[in-house]
């Protein structure tokens, strides 16, 4: 039985259809003091697949409640799918006295599950924090689906070296074009400095790919360079559309033709579903 968190209802339904599994009815509520409440009143199955992107602290708590509820209802196996794992980028103590937040939340999630799947975590090594079998699912190849079929001599560009694999995966799935990457220095939470490569983009269509668009600073700075160099059409393709604050506006103002993302975070720009990739991983 597929058990949706409130943040991942459409994806959970698609996953249930892919697997031919039943989609559980779930109650989401909130107490007068603000505490969240989630229940699965009619749960009846040996295996529960709880699907919940932990985009907020409340979503984290709700996931823990759903895991606990299905165990209470008799599930013998609990599989937890984190389409988007919140706090995953805080994967080390960056200064003395700082927490490893990704490890802290992973430990909490692990107590209620037998297995974890998470889509394109910022670093695959984050899976080691769970202490139960946990695996990354690569869904980047699906980002090629909404791209126009007539891209002109395309460049698949990563805004930093860490996203090169995603650029290469999208290029390979598209079937033509070159890959390249810029260098990024993060100055603050929402400020970055981009040092471009010498890639020639004049008149060429460019697809800028990354695992996450959060504030949109990384992308809009990169797109600014492309504009200066007279690139053709510029598209943004990202796995996780966090899109904090005015990120989408920043991208459109920078001249981006369209933003495409998966449904790990359900947004208006979620043009492709990771459900098939998750179904393969669950059954694989
Ligand atoms: C970090 O290196 C990630 O791959 C993304 O580049 C980053 O999270 C994007 O953040 P923002 O949109 O805030 O620049």
């Amino acid at each position: 039985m597929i058990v949706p968190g409130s943040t991942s209802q459409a994806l959970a339904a698609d996953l249930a259809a892919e697997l031919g599994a039943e989609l559980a009815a779930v109650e989401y509520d909130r107490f007068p003091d603000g505490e969240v409440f989630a229940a699965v009143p009619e749960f009846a199955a040996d295996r529960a697949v709880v699907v919940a992107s932990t985009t907020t602290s409340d979503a984290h708590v709700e996931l823990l409640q759903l895991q606990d509820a299905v165990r209470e209802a008799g599930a013998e196996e609990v599989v937890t799918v984190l389409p988007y794992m919140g706090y995953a980028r805080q994967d080390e103590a960056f200064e003395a006295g700082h927490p490893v937040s990704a490890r802290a939340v992973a430990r909490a999630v692990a107590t209620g599950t037998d297995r974890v799947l998470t889509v394109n975590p910022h670093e695959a090594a984050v899976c080691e924090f769970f202490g139960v079998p946990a695996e990354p699912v690569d869904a980047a190849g699906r980002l090629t689906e909404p791209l126009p079929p007539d891209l002109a001599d395309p460049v698949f560009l990563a805004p930093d070296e860490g996203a090169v694999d995603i650029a290469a995966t999208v290029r390979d799935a598209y079937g033509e074009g070159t890959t390249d990457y810029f260098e990024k220095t993060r100055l603050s939470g929402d400020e970055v400095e981009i040092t471009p490569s010498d890639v020639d983009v004049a008149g060429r269509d460019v697809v800028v790919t990354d695992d996450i668009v959060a504030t949109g600073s990384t992308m809009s700075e990169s797109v600014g360079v492309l504009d200066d160099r007279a690139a053709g059409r510029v598209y943004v393709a990202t796995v996780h559309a966090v899109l904090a604050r005015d990120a989408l506006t920043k991208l459109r103002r920078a001249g981006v033709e369209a933003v495409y993302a998966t449904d790990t975070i359900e947004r208006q720009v979620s043009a492709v579903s990771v459900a098939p990739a998750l179904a393969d991983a669950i059954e694989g």
Side-chain angles (χ1 to χ4, degrees):
M1 197 174 237
I2 307 297
V3 179
S6 60
T7 54
S8 298
Q9 296 180 58
L11 173 55
D14 287 349
L15 181 60
E18 285 284 335
L19 291 170
E22 197 179 342
L23 183 64
V26 178
E27 285 177 14
Y28 311 113
D29 210 340
R30 193 176 282 277
F31 288 99
D33 62 2
E35 289 181 352
V36 299
F37 174 81
V40 199
E42 293 160 21
F43 183 84
D46 290 338
R47 180 171 82 161
V49 179
V50 183
V51 184
S53 281
T54 49
T55 47
T56 64
S57 303
D58 281 352
H60 270 284
V61 175
E62 185 190 275
L63 167 62
L64 302 181
Q65 291 173 329
L66 292 173
Q67 291 173 325
D68 204 65
V70 295
R71 284 268 197 233
E72 276 291 306
E76 284 168 19
E77 184 191 4
V78 178
V79 177
T80 298
V81 176
L82 299 170
Y84 172 74
M85 177 187 170
Y87 291 90
R89 285 177 294 170
Q90 296 181 45
D91 56 356
E92 57 183 283
F94 294 100
E95 288 178 32
H98 283 204
V100 182
S101 303
R103 183 179 60 201
V105 298
R107 283 175 174 166
V109 169
T111 59
T113 196
D114 301 294
R115 181 184 175 203
V116 177
L117 299 170
T118 188
V119 179
N120 290 91
H122 183 56
E123 296 288 346
V126 81
C127 289
E128 290 162 24
F129 289 145
F130 287 92
V132 295
E135 55 197 279
V137 176
D138 186 1
R142 303 198 72 83
L143 289 170
T144 197
E145 288 172 30
L147 291 173
D150 62 347
L151 291 177
D153 193 12
V155 183
F156 293 83
L157 181 75
D160 60 30
E161 197 172 359
V164 164
D165 287 352
I166 291 179
T169 300
V170 179
R171 194 224 77 91
D172 290 351
Y174 192 76
E176 61 170 302
T178 57
T179 57
D180 209 301
Y181 66 93
F182 289 169
E183 278 173 30
K184 175 172 79 177
T185 307
R186 184 162 286 286
L187 306 175
S188 70
D190 59 2
E191 281 177 303
V192 300
E193 191 175 84
I194 293 291
T195 308
S197 69
D198 56 7
V199 61
D200 179 11
V201 293
R204 302 173 72 184
D205 290 338
V206 182
V207 181
V208 196
T209 63
D210 208 348
D211 56 339
I212 300 171
V213 175
T215 66
S217 301
T218 301
M219 280 294 181
S220 52
E221 289 294 319
S222 303
V223 172
V225 170
L226 299 172
D227 192 40
D228 292 346
R229 294 183 179 185
R233 294 173 295 176
V234 176
Y235 296 88
V236 163
T238 184
V239 179
H240 307 295
V242 173
L243 299 180
R245 301 196 293 245
D246 61 339
L248 207 47
T249 304
K250 266 192 210 164
L251 297 182
R252 296 311 291 260
R253 281 176 56 81
V256 170
E257 202 82 21
V259 178
Y260 298 120
T262 76
D263 55 357
T264 59
I265 301 175
E266 296 176 3
R267 300 281 192 222
Q268 184 260 337
V269 299
S270 298
V272 284
S273 181
V274 299
L278 286 172
D280 286 349
I282 289 168
E283 296 302 0

